[in-house]
CSV table of all heavy atoms in Angstrom, one decimal:
chain,number,residue,atom,x,y,z
B,27,LEU,N,-7.1,31.3,-13.3
B,27,LEU,CA,-5.7,30.9,-13.6
B,27,LEU,C,-5.7,30.2,-15.1
B,27,LEU,O,-4.7,29.9,-15.5
B,27,LEU,CB,-5.1,29.9,-12.6
B,27,LEU,CG,-5.0,30.5,-11.2
B,27,LEU,CD1,-4.8,29.4,-10.2
B,27,LEU,CD2,-3.9,31.5,-11.2
B,28,ASN,N,-6.9,30.1,-15.6
B,28,ASN,CA,-7.0,29.4,-16.9
B,28,ASN,C,-6.5,28.0,-16.9
B,28,ASN,O,-6.0,27.4,-17.9
B,28,ASN,CB,-6.3,30.2,-18.1
B,28,ASN,CG,-6.7,29.8,-19.4
B,28,ASN,OD1,-7.9,29.4,-19.6
B,28,ASN,ND2,-5.8,29.7,-20.4
B,29,HIS,N,-6.7,27.3,-15.7
B,29,HIS,CA,-6.2,26.0,-15.5
B,29,HIS,C,-7.2,25.0,-16.0
B,29,HIS,O,-8.5,25.2,-15.8
B,29,HIS,CB,-5.9,25.7,-14.1
B,29,HIS,CG,-4.6,26.2,-13.6
B,29,HIS,ND1,-4.3,26.3,-12.2
B,29,HIS,CD2,-3.6,26.7,-14.3
B,29,HIS,CE1,-3.0,26.7,-12.2
B,29,HIS,NE2,-2.6,27.1,-13.4
B,30,ASP,N,-6.8,23.9,-16.6
B,30,ASP,CA,-7.8,22.9,-17.2
B,30,ASP,C,-8.3,22.0,-16.0
B,30,ASP,O,-9.5,21.7,-16.0
B,30,ASP,CB,-7.1,22.0,-18.2
B,30,ASP,CG,-6.8,22.7,-19.5
B,30,ASP,OD1,-7.7,23.4,-20.0
B,30,ASP,OD2,-5.7,22.7,-19.9
B,31,ALA,N,-7.4,21.6,-15.1
B,31,ALA,CA,-7.8,20.7,-14.1
B,31,ALA,C,-8.2,21.3,-12.7
B,31,ALA,O,-7.6,22.3,-12.3
B,31,ALA,CB,-6.6,19.7,-13.9
B,32,MET,N,-9.2,20.7,-12.1
B,32,MET,CA,-9.7,21.2,-10.8
B,32,MET,C,-10.0,20.0,-9.9
B,32,MET,O,-10.3,18.9,-10.4
B,32,MET,CB,-10.9,22.1,-10.9
B,32,MET,CG,-10.6,23.4,-11.7
B,32,MET,SD,-12.0,24.5,-11.7
B,32,MET,CE,-11.9,25.2,-10.1
B,33,TYR,N,-9.8,20.2,-8.6
B,33,TYR,CA,-9.9,19.1,-7.6
B,33,TYR,C,-10.6,19.6,-6.4
B,33,TYR,O,-10.6,20.7,-6.0
B,33,TYR,CB,-8.5,18.7,-7.2
B,33,TYR,CG,-7.5,18.5,-8.2
B,33,TYR,CD1,-6.9,19.6,-8.8
B,33,TYR,CD2,-7.1,17.3,-8.7
B,33,TYR,CE1,-5.9,19.5,-9.8
B,33,TYR,CE2,-6.2,17.1,-9.7
B,33,TYR,CZ,-5.6,18.2,-10.2
B,33,TYR,OH,-4.6,18.1,-11.2
B,34,TRP,N,-11.3,18.6,-5.7
B,34,TRP,CA,-11.9,18.8,-4.4
B,34,TRP,C,-11.3,17.8,-3.4
B,34,TRP,O,-11.3,16.7,-3.7
B,34,TRP,CB,-13.4,18.7,-4.4
B,34,TRP,CG,-14.1,19.9,-4.8
B,34,TRP,CD1,-14.7,20.2,-6.0
B,34,TRP,CD2,-14.3,21.0,-3.9
B,34,TRP,NE1,-15.4,21.5,-5.9
B,34,TRP,CE2,-15.1,22.1,-4.7
B,34,TRP,CE3,-13.9,21.5,-2.6
B,34,TRP,CZ2,-15.4,23.3,-4.3
B,34,TRP,CZ3,-14.3,22.7,-2.1
B,34,TRP,CH2,-15.1,23.5,-3.0
B,35,TYR,N,-10.8,18.4,-2.2
B,35,TYR,CA,-10.2,17.6,-1.2
B,35,TYR,C,-11.0,17.9,0.1
B,35,TYR,O,-11.4,18.9,0.4
B,35,TYR,CB,-8.8,17.9,-1.0
B,35,TYR,CG,-7.8,17.4,-2.1
B,35,TYR,CD1,-7.5,18.2,-3.2
B,35,TYR,CD2,-7.3,16.1,-2.1
B,35,TYR,CE1,-6.7,17.9,-4.2
B,35,TYR,CE2,-6.4,15.8,-3.0
B,35,TYR,CZ,-6.1,16.6,-4.1
B,35,TYR,OH,-5.3,16.1,-5.1
B,36,ARG,N,-10.9,16.9,0.9
B,36,ARG,CA,-11.5,17.0,2.3
B,36,ARG,C,-10.3,16.8,3.2
B,36,ARG,O,-9.4,16.0,3.1
B,36,ARG,CB,-12.5,15.9,2.5
B,36,ARG,CG,-12.9,15.8,4.0
B,36,ARG,CD,-14.0,14.7,4.2
B,36,ARG,NE,-14.2,14.5,5.6
B,36,ARG,CZ,-15.4,14.2,6.1
B,36,ARG,NH1,-16.5,14.2,5.3
B,36,ARG,NH2,-15.6,14.1,7.4
B,37,GLN,N,-10.3,17.7,4.2
B,37,GLN,CA,-9.2,17.7,5.2
B,37,GLN,C,-9.8,17.5,6.7
B,37,GLN,O,-10.6,18.3,7.0
B,37,GLN,CB,-8.2,18.9,5.2
B,37,GLN,CG,-7.0,18.9,6.0
B,37,GLN,CD,-6.2,20.1,5.9
B,37,GLN,OE1,-6.6,21.1,5.6
B,37,GLN,NE2,-4.8,19.8,5.9
B,38,ASP,N,-9.4,16.4,7.3
B,38,ASP,CA,-9.8,16.2,8.7
B,38,ASP,C,-8.6,16.2,9.6
B,38,ASP,O,-7.5,16.0,9.1
B,38,ASP,CB,-10.4,14.8,8.8
B,38,ASP,CG,-11.8,14.7,8.0
B,38,ASP,OD1,-12.7,15.3,8.5
B,38,ASP,OD2,-11.8,14.1,7.0
B,39,PRO,N,-8.7,16.6,10.8
B,39,PRO,CA,-7.7,16.8,11.8
B,39,PRO,C,-6.8,15.4,11.8
B,39,PRO,O,-7.3,14.4,11.9
B,39,PRO,CB,-8.4,17.0,13.2
B,39,PRO,CG,-9.6,17.7,12.8
B,39,PRO,CD,-10.1,17.0,11.5
B,40,GLY,N,-5.5,15.5,11.8
B,40,GLY,CA,-4.6,14.5,11.9
B,40,GLY,C,-4.5,13.5,10.7
B,40,GLY,O,-3.9,12.5,10.7
B,41,GLN,N,-5.2,14.0,9.6
B,41,GLN,CA,-5.1,13.1,8.4
B,41,GLN,C,-4.7,13.9,7.2
B,41,GLN,O,-4.8,15.1,7.2
B,41,GLN,CB,-6.6,12.6,8.1
B,41,GLN,CG,-7.2,11.7,9.1
B,41,GLN,CD,-8.5,11.0,8.7
B,41,GLN,OE1,-8.6,10.7,7.5
B,41,GLN,NE2,-9.4,11.0,9.6
B,42,GLY,N,-4.2,13.1,6.2
B,42,GLY,CA,-3.8,13.8,5.0
B,42,GLY,C,-5.0,14.1,4.2
B,42,GLY,O,-6.1,13.6,4.4
B,43,LEU,N,-4.9,15.0,3.2
B,43,LEU,CA,-5.9,15.4,2.4
B,43,LEU,C,-6.4,14.2,1.5
B,43,LEU,O,-5.6,13.4,1.1
B,43,LEU,CB,-5.6,16.5,1.3
B,43,LEU,CG,-5.6,18.0,1.7
B,43,LEU,CD1,-4.8,18.2,2.9
B,43,LEU,CD2,-5.3,18.9,0.6
B,44,ARG,N,-7.8,14.1,1.4
B,44,ARG,CA,-8.3,13.0,0.7
B,44,ARG,C,-9.1,13.5,-0.5
B,44,ARG,O,-9.9,14.5,-0.3
B,44,ARG,CB,-9.2,12.2,1.6
B,44,ARG,CG,-8.4,11.4,2.6
B,44,ARG,CD,-9.3,10.5,3.5
B,44,ARG,NE,-10.2,11.3,4.4
B,44,ARG,CZ,-11.2,10.8,5.0
B,44,ARG,NH1,-11.6,9.5,4.8
B,44,ARG,NH2,-12.0,11.6,5.7
B,45,LEU,N,-8.9,12.9,-1.7
B,45,LEU,CA,-9.6,13.3,-2.9
B,45,LEU,C,-11.0,13.0,-3.0
B,45,LEU,O,-11.3,11.8,-2.9
B,45,LEU,CB,-8.8,12.9,-4.1
B,45,LEU,CG,-9.3,13.2,-5.4
B,45,LEU,CD1,-9.0,14.8,-5.7
B,45,LEU,CD2,-8.5,12.5,-6.6
B,46,ILE,N,-11.9,14.0,-3.2
B,46,ILE,CA,-13.3,13.7,-3.4
B,46,ILE,C,-13.7,13.5,-4.9
B,46,ILE,O,-14.2,12.5,-5.3
B,46,ILE,CB,-14.2,14.8,-2.8
B,46,ILE,CG1,-13.7,15.1,-1.4
B,46,ILE,CG2,-15.6,14.5,-2.9
B,46,ILE,CD1,-14.4,16.3,-0.7
B,47,TYR,N,-13.4,14.5,-5.7
B,47,TYR,CA,-13.6,14.5,-7.1
B,47,TYR,C,-12.6,15.3,-7.8
B,47,TYR,O,-12.0,16.2,-7.2
B,47,TYR,CB,-15.0,15.2,-7.5
B,47,TYR,CG,-16.2,14.2,-7.5
B,47,TYR,CD1,-17.0,14.1,-6.4
B,47,TYR,CD2,-16.4,13.4,-8.7
B,47,TYR,CE1,-18.1,13.2,-6.4
B,47,TYR,CE2,-17.6,12.6,-8.7
B,47,TYR,CZ,-18.3,12.5,-7.6
B,47,TYR,OH,-19.5,11.6,-7.6
Side-chain angles (χ1 to χ4, degrees):
Chain B
L27 299 164
N28 199 33
H29 283 170
D30 290 310
M32 297 185 74
Y33 315 78
W34 273 106
Y35 289 91
R36 171 178 171 141
Q37 187 173 36
D38 294 284
Q41 297 188 39
L43 273 65
R44 292 183 290 167
L45 182 66
I46 304 173
Y47 270 98

